[in-house]
């Protein structure tokens, strides 16, 4: 999701790399679930997010869409995002104790929170969102540990490649002459990267890049 923001207003003024230390550790949250409520359609899933959840829960994209996900327009392209349930606008994966029921499978946006990503042309850096998490006295943690993802170098390259692929499609959508073109672009993305399942017993990244090259 593309956002125009003033980093001086929302961050500590620094940009971070994966081996940097940052004050982001909430100590297990201890009953707080503010970041799992009232997020609207902002928790957009990338293909790896969906693959993790599908394989971890043994459910298809269509099954998840009926209970936990919704489709929304993100900068001109239709993408899946986590569903928020009434009346408290809580994440559909939040349990009665206010804890994430899929924490080992949680999406990338949830993994890096309260960090965000700033894309700079061909890669990205992290920044600390200082107003998003109400938990006081957060402690320092290495970003590599905080995002809790195997093979971080490949993961970061994938995140960057996916972002810039979507950005190209979003530019095409904005320049399109009619809704049919936009719909066709969205259906291509959904079918190629989300609806069609990835092989659970095989490495995700080669499967993703095969589809990306075909796209």
């Amino acid at each position: 999701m593309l956002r125009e923001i003033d980093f001086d207003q929302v961050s500590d003024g620094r940009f971070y790399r994966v081996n940097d230390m940052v004050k982001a550790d909430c100590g297990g949250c201890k009953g707080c679930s503010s970041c799992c409520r009232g997020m609207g359609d902002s928790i957009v899933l990338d293909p790896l997010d969906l693959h993790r959840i599908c394989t971890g829960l043994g459910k298809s994209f269509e099954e998840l869409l009926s209970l936990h996900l919704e489709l929304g327009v993100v900068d001109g392209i239709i993408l899946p995002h986590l569903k928020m349930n009434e009346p408290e606008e809580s994440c559909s994966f939040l349990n009665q104790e206010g804890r994430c029921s899929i924490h080992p499978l949680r999406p990338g946006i949830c993994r890096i929170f309260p960090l965000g990503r700033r894309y700079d042309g061909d890669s990205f850096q992290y920044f600390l969102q200082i107003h998003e998490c109400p938990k006081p006295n957060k402690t320092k943690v290495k970003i590599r540990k905080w995002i809790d993802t195997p093979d971080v170098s490949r993961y970061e390259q994938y995140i960057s490649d996916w972002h810039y692929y979507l950005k190209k499609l979003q530019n095409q959508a904005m320049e399109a002459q009619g809704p049919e073109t936009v719909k066709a672009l969205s259906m291509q993305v959904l079918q190629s990267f989300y609806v069609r399942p990835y092989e659970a017993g095989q490495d995700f990244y080669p499967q993703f890049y095969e589809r990306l090259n075909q796209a």
Side-chain angles (χ1 to χ4, degrees):
M1 183 178 294
L2 301 177
R3 292 189 298 165
E4 294 293 336
I5 58 177
D6 183 345
F7 284 100
D8 291 334
Q9 297 294 321
V10 303
S11 76
D12 62 359
R14 296 182 58 193
F15 295 109
Y16 299 88
R17 297 293 187 184
V18 71
N19 288 317
D20 290 334
M21 302 288 288
V22 62
K23 276 194 172 184
D25 195 334
C26 308
C29 298
K30 298 179 181 178
C32 177
S33 56
S34 293
C35 63
C36 304
R37 303 176 190 273
M39 301 305 291
D41 59 0
S42 65
I43 313 300
V44 179
L45 304 187
D46 62 54
L48 178 56
D49 292 334
L50 186 75
H51 172 61
R52 279 174 167 161
I53 297 173
C54 284
T55 55
L57 299 182
K59 295 184 180 298
S60 67
F61 173 69
E62 290 83 358
E63 289 175 304
L64 290 173
L65 196 58
S66 67
L67 294 172
H68 298 291
L69 308 180
E70 293 178 326
L71 296 177
V73 178
V74 181
D75 302 311
I77 299 295
I78 298 172
L79 296 172
H81 60 81
L82 292 186
K83 179 181 179 182
M84 300 290 145
N85 288 333
E86 299 289 353
E88 297 181 344
E89 279 292 296
S90 58
C91 175
S92 60
F93 285 115
L94 196 66
N95 64 25
Q96 293 182 341
E97 289 72 41
R99 306 296 288 177
C100 177
S101 64
I102 60 161
H103 194 261
L105 314 173
R106 65 198 185 281
I109 291 177
C110 304
R111 287 174 184 272
I112 68 173
F113 186 84
L115 302 177
R117 301 187 188 109
R118 176 185 179 269
Y119 295 88
D120 54 9
D122 58 2
S123 62
F124 67 87
Q125 294 175 295
Y126 300 96
F127 66 95
L128 177 63
Q129 302 178 87
I130 57 176
H131 303 301
E132 298 299 320
C133 176
K135 202 70 177 175
N137 303 318
K138 289 185 279 292
T139 57
K140 283 190 174 184
V141 62
K142 183 174 284 192
I143 293 175
R144 179 183 294 273
K145 179 181 179 181
W146 183 245
I147 62 178
D148 186 26
T149 295
D151 203 346
V152 173
S153 296
R154 279 210 299 173
Y155 175 70
E156 289 191 325
Q157 185 62 57
Y158 152 76
I159 288 293
S160 182
D161 291 340
W162 176 243
H163 170 83
Y164 288 108
Y165 169 69
L166 280 185
K167 186 175 180 180
K168 181 176 69 173
L169 290 187
Q170 288 158 350
N171 288 337
Q172 292 179 23
M174 288 188 288
E175 295 170 358
Q177 297 300 313
E180 296 82 7
T181 303
V182 176
K183 182 178 179 181
L185 288 172
S186 294
M187 291 303 102
Q188 172 190 323
V189 171
L190 288 173
Q191 184 62 44
S192 297
F193 296 102
Y194 293 98
V195 177
R196 178 183 161 200
Y198 297 83
E199 291 294 333
Q202 298 180 17
D203 190 345
F204 166 81
Y205 295 113
Q207 297 181 75
F208 166 77
Y209 281 105
E210 180 180 2
R211 300 181 191 200
L212 187 65
N213 291 332
Q214 290 173 350

